Amino acid sequence: MKNSEIKELTTPEIVEKVDLERSTLTRFKLNHAISPLENPLQIKVTRRNIARLVTELRHRQLTDK
């Protein structure tokens, strides 16, 4: 997910995406521990997506004050 796509989302949508991505990351980690994932880079991409989403949320909190 690109930063431009994230900026177009509303704040509740970003919060929902963060929850979804965190659950996806947990699932990827558990599956990878049991048997290797076909594409282990998915874990890295998911982690970075979470960071992008949380960064945008924090940016919005700071600019609203």
Side-chain angles (χ1 to χ4, degrees):
M1 179 169 262
K2 296 182 180 179
N3 284 334
S4 58
E5 295 172 357
I6 293 172
K7 289 180 181 182
E8 292 174 1
L9 297 174
T10 63
T11 303
E13 288 175 336
I14 293 177
V15 172
E16 183 180 326
K17 287 266 189 194
V18 169
D19 290 338
L20 179 67
E21 290 286 328
R22 283 187 175 152
S23 65
T24 303
L25 179 63
T26 303
R27 190 168 29 88
F28 281 156
K29 284 183 176 182
L30 289 173
N31 288 344
H32 189 62
I34 295 169
S35 65
L37 289 176
E38 187 174 312
N39 184 5
L41 286 177
Q42 289 174 325
I43 295 173
K44 180 179 177 181
V45 170
T46 305
R47 250 190 5 248
R48 290 193 176 173
N49 281 338
I50 293 169
R52 285 187 188 104
L53 291 164
V54 171
T55 300
E56 179 61 25
L57 269 178
R58 183 68 179 144
H59 176 71
R60 290 181 185 190
Q61 287 174 354
L62 293 175
T63 56
D64 288 342
K65 290 183 179 180

